[in-house]
Amino acid sequence: MALIIPLRGFTPKFGEGCFLAQNATVIGDVTVGNECSIWFNTVLRGDVNTITIGDRVNIQDGSVLHTLYQKSTIEIGNDVSIGHNVTIHGAKIHDFALVGMGAVVMDDAEVGEGAIVAAGSVVLSRTKIGPNELWGGAPAKFIKMVDPAQAREINVKIAKNYLMYSQWYSEPDCKPFEL
């Protein structure tokens, strides 16, 4: 069972149809929309400020979301994919965006609708990535524009896939055991 910790008067809230992996950790002032999936070893630390996640968002294995006390919050829109081992620290991620595996998105950065942050990129504080832009590198820089219809299609497909994957864990034969 996921570790859900109320803190400072805030209890995490979850919409309908969400999947939380058994070792996911969700703390404090966190609100998660409908049909989201929070995968293995993921940590959502709403201990020092607010984390708000829209509908059909998948936050993949090993990712960490955190904020700055009284300074930054996290806002994630709908149909967003957060890849494996991503760190998001006090940023805003708009609808249909994709943050690639191992990327870091720092305080007060903004990732526009349908934008893509390439795997391993470091998006510095206060960076504004526009809608449908592809950024990559460390520090991340603009690479090219992305076809809006293609970006939306890709992220809707990923969101649906992760919803399907999460449903596998509710099957009767999916029970942890010790060897």
Side-chain angles (χ1 to χ4, degrees):
M1 176 184 293
L3 181 59
I4 300 169
I5 302 173
L7 188 67
R8 296 180 46 235
F10 296 102
T11 299
K13 298 179 198 97
F14 302 92
E16 295 181 18
C18 288
F19 166 75
L20 278 75
Q22 289 181 319
N23 60 352
T25 302
V26 183
I27 303 166
D29 192 4
V30 177
T31 302
V32 177
N34 297 319
E35 298 183 313
C36 292
S37 56
I38 313 298
W39 289 87
F40 297 95
N41 293 319
T42 293
V43 178
L44 307 181
R45 269 187 60 201
D47 54 353
V48 300
N49 219 331
T50 304
I51 298 173
T52 306
I53 298 168
D55 297 331
R56 296 169 306 281
V57 172
N58 60 88
I59 303 175
Q60 298 170 20
D61 311 69
S63 292
V64 176
L65 280 64
H66 195 238
T67 62
L68 281 174
Y69 181 61
Q70 298 180 337
K71 290 188 179 180
S72 66
T73 62
I74 291 176
E75 295 176 48
I76 298 177
N78 299 319
D79 300 293
V80 171
S81 291
I82 306 297
H84 307 290
N85 294 310
V86 166
T87 299
I88 298 176
H89 204 279
K92 184 171 187 174
I93 315 292
H94 290 269
D95 297 348
F96 304 108
L98 169 69
V99 180
M101 293 185 281
V104 175
V105 183
M106 296 301 297
D107 295 288
D108 300 315
E110 190 166 344
V111 178
E113 182 172 327
I116 298 173
V117 175
S121 298
V122 178
V123 179
L124 298 177
S125 295
R126 295 177 295 286
T127 299
K128 303 295 184 211
I129 297 175
N132 305 305
E133 293 181 353
L134 169 63
W135 283 53
K141 304 272 188 228
F142 174 80
I143 296 173
K144 68 178 188 174
M145 296 302 295
V146 177
D147 175 8
Q150 187 177 19
R152 183 175 291 238
E153 180 183 335
I154 288 168
N155 275 326
V156 167
K157 181 180 179 181
I158 292 170
K160 285 181 180 177
N161 284 346
Y162 269 86
L163 182 59
M164 177 182 67
Y165 306 154
S166 70
Q167 292 167 351
W168 296 343
Y169 291 86
S170 64
E171 293 178 5
D173 63 340
C174 181
K175 294 179 184 164
F177 63 92
E178 293 183 31
L179 296 175

